[in-house]
Amino acid sequence: YDVPKAPATPYGFKYSLVYIRKRQRLVGYDNHEHKGDHRHFHRATTLYVFTTVDRLIEDFRRDVAAVKKELER
């Protein structure tokens, strides 16, 4: 959703994408106010370099596909 441009949201919007399975977050991308852009993958949290919304969605879908593939094994 749209928010005022600020150091934590220089592009003027907030985002949160999440893939949950059995009540557990396996993949997540968001720009939480105090953490900035970051990615959750399994239990690890790492910095995420936001470039475009299309790229964000592509990265999220790639990670979800990878997790689903792992779960099929």
Side-chain angles (χ1 to χ4, degrees):
Y1 59 90
D2 292 336
V3 297
K5 289 186 178 183
T9 55
Y11 22 83
F13 60 87
K14 298 280 292 169
Y15 63 86
S16 180
L17 293 86
V18 63
Y19 175 65
I20 297 171
R21 183 168 174 178
K22 296 182 181 179
R23 298 179 146 183
Q24 183 178 14
R25 177 181 57 200
L26 300 177
V27 178
Y29 284 76
D30 65 275
N31 61 344
H32 184 273
E33 183 176 338
H34 300 290
K35 291 184 179 180
D37 300 294
H38 61 283
R39 167 186 177 252
H40 304 270
F41 192 79
H42 294 292
R43 294 186 176 151
T45 302
T46 57
L47 176 69
Y48 178 72
V49 178
F50 177 87
T51 54
T52 67
V53 172
D54 289 338
R55 180 61 193 226
L56 170 68
I57 294 168
E58 182 180 313
D59 292 342
F60 175 74
R61 287 181 172 169
R62 182 198 64 237
D63 283 354
V64 169
V67 166
K68 285 181 174 182
K69 189 172 183 176
E70 289 174 10
L71 295 172
E72 290 175 359
R73 294 180 195 166

